[in-house]
Amino acid sequence: MKIAHVEAIPFAIPYRKPLRFASGEVHTAEHVLVRVHTDDGVVGVAEAPPRPFTYGETQQSIVAVIDRIFAPEVVGLSLLEREVMHARLDRTVGNPTAKAALDMACWDALGKTLDLPVTQMLGGFTDRMRVSHMVGFAPDEVMVADAERMRDTYGITVFKVKVGRRPVSLDVGACRALRAALGPDVELYVDGNRGWTPSEAARALRAMDDLDLTLSEELCPADDVLGRRWLTAQTTIPTVADESATTPGEVTRELLGGSATMISIKTARTGFHTSQRILHQCEGMGVEVVMGNQIDGQVGTACTVAFGAAHRHSSRRAGELSNFLDMSDDLLTEPLQIRGGELAVRPGPGLGIEIDPEKLAHYRTDRS
């Protein structure tokens, strides 16, 4: 069960439409497939989605740090030496999605080696999660049509609405249009991707007070320390820390400092190892969590649902598991399927997924 070789393979798959939000927009999923090979022939896989406007990583930087720094540090380690691996990875600051993908690929390889599903190894609480869908910036009628299509086609009834535009009335109007079209039984919550000032966020929340929003996420930057505390203290809507709470230390700071009352866990940036630590930290403090999405493809989504469904605390809320539907294609031999508003964990050892070699050969960008 020793790590023999690590690959970081860049690939690019276009989105069906641009995905727009306050911190940027993406037109193509320029991700990295990470493969961990063991000395007995097992291959574990995971996906690293770079978000330069959030974490500073690029596709090129992920490939470089894995090839030149991380792979030499982990080759020769047993798949069970997770603490040793993370101690070595953590000597290099930053690079969260590169570290996370390497961690999850090792878990996939371990599950395949032991002939056990990763979700069972993590906790095995349930075998599926309810799905939340992200609605990005667009004219009101387009946002409404997108949400209605997701509800009618996939049975999704939980929607995360991207906000953070100026003037704030743009997003207030969009949320009003969604509530009017979808009715009272659909759950709506908002994510600002740090786009507003605290005063703008407060004004927007007051203007939407009658819309029964369930969460508000990262409405203003983490550096607005006093403003975030002020905003959280005056609203009854739970405040979710996402980009501002990417490590256990940041989670502690956000919660004890009064800047947040909930935490978004993204396996794409904290893998299974650190995500589990954050989850248990939140559970011990009596804090709810939501399983977030890094605009993952199907590989990353399989990781998110495997982790979220494995634990009682993370399976309570709908997970953000549908963004792969916006991609024009993907790498799996058997695509993920959302049915009745739920996504089931893949059966089988490891993550239960297989990479289609022809699709990988078509979309990888490191070979002409």
Side-chain angles (χ1 to χ4, degrees):
M1 297 200 303
K2 291 186 180 296
I3 300 171
H5 177 55
V6 177
E7 291 180 279
I9 304 170
F11 67 92
I13 299 176
Y15 285 102
R16 300 181 193 278
K17 61 179 181 180
L19 304 183
R20 297 187 171 94
F21 32 91
S23 59
E25 63 181 63
V26 290
H27 297 257
T28 303
E30 296 180 330
H31 295 180
V32 179
L33 180 72
V34 175
R35 294 201 289 204
V36 170
H37 300 253
T38 70
D39 58 358
D40 51 0
V42 173
V43 182
V45 300
E47 175 183 25
R51 296 291 169 256
F53 37 74
T54 305
Y55 307 113
E57 292 174 291
T58 66
Q59 188 181 57
Q60 293 79 11
S61 77
I62 290 172
V63 171
V65 78
I66 290 177
D67 284 348
R68 300 178 186 178
I69 299 178
F70 293 160
E73 291 285 352
V74 303
V75 167
L77 291 179
S78 163
L79 294 173
L80 295 174
E81 293 180 285
R82 292 190 295 273
E83 287 290 328
V84 176
M85 184 180 78
H86 282 276
R88 294 181 180 181
L89 297 182
D90 288 345
R91 290 200 293 253
T92 301
V93 299
N95 299 282
T97 65
K99 294 174 181 176
L102 186 53
D103 170 82
M104 293 187 292
C106 286
W107 275 90
D108 184 39
L110 181 61
K112 291 173 178 175
T113 300
L114 301 178
D115 197 28
L116 290 171
V118 164
T119 193
Q120 294 292 322
M121 294 163 60
L122 288 168
F125 181 70
T126 185
D127 67 347
R128 64 194 62 241
M129 290 186 71
R130 291 185 299 125
V131 175
S132 169
H133 179 68
M134 183 192 83
V135 182
F137 292 163
D140 291 359
E141 62 274 14
V142 175
M143 295 173 71
V144 167
D146 180 35
E148 290 179 328
R149 179 174 62 86
M150 289 295 164
R151 181 191 59 187
D152 297 343
T153 305
Y154 300 102
I156 296 172
T157 58
V158 183
F159 295 94
K160 173 178 180 171
V161 186
K162 290 295 186 178
V163 298
R165 294 178 290 183
R166 294 185 173 93
V168 298
S169 57
L170 287 172
D171 293 324
V172 172
C175 289
R176 288 200 170 281
L178 285 163
R179 176 58 77 202
L182 299 173
D185 295 331
V186 162
E187 179 181 344
L188 296 179
Y189 61 103
V190 293
D191 175 12
N193 290 111
R194 314 176 308 281
W196 284 330
T197 65
S199 61
E200 288 172 326
R203 189 164 75 252
L205 290 179
R206 285 196 300 269
M208 296 187 287
D209 187 56
D210 60 331
L211 297 184
D212 192 28
L213 300 178
T214 56
L215 306 172
S216 65
E217 179 180 312
E218 294 291 0
L219 298 184
C220 43
D223 289 343
D224 296 342
V225 178
L226 295 181
R228 285 164 61 93
R229 293 177 186 174
W230 169 80
L231 178 65
T232 300
Q234 65 170 290
T235 180
T236 58
I237 301 173
T239 302
V240 181
D242 178 15
E243 303 100 308
S244 61
T246 64
T247 66
E250 290 175 347
V251 169
T252 300
R253 180 197 66 198
E254 291 299 295
L255 294 175
L256 297 187
S259 297
T261 56
M262 281 184 62
I263 298 296
S264 174
I265 296 177
K266 291 182 177 177
T267 57
R269 69 168 175 237
T270 44
F272 296 146
H273 180 85
T274 306
S275 292
Q276 199 164 51
R277 293 186 173 197
I278 291 173
L279 176 67
H280 293 160
Q281 179 183 5
C282 291
E283 191 171 15
M285 297 176 72
V287 172
E288 290 185 82
V289 302
V290 59
M291 292 305 302
N293 190 294
Q294 192 110 327
I295 321 181
D296 305 313
Q298 292 192 31
V299 177
T301 302
C303 290
T304 301
V305 73
F307 181 91
H311 306 91
R312 176 177 56 178
H313 200 58
S314 56
S315 64
R316 288 173 175 162
R317 299 195 63 86
E320 296 165 7
L321 302 167
S322 67
N323 280 130
F324 70 86
L325 295 173
D326 291 315
M327 293 173 62
S328 60
D329 200 356
D330 220 296
L331 298 181
L332 299 189
T333 56
E334 184 181 349
L336 302 181
Q337 299 289 332
I338 297 172
R339 295 187 177 94
E342 295 180 328
L343 180 63
V345 176
R346 277 293 174 80
L351 293 169
I353 59 175
E354 295 293 337
I355 302 300
D356 186 319
E358 293 184 2
K359 288 188 175 184
L360 179 60
H362 177 72
Y363 290 114
R364 67 187 301 168
T365 57
D366 57 344
R367 295 178 182 175
S368 57

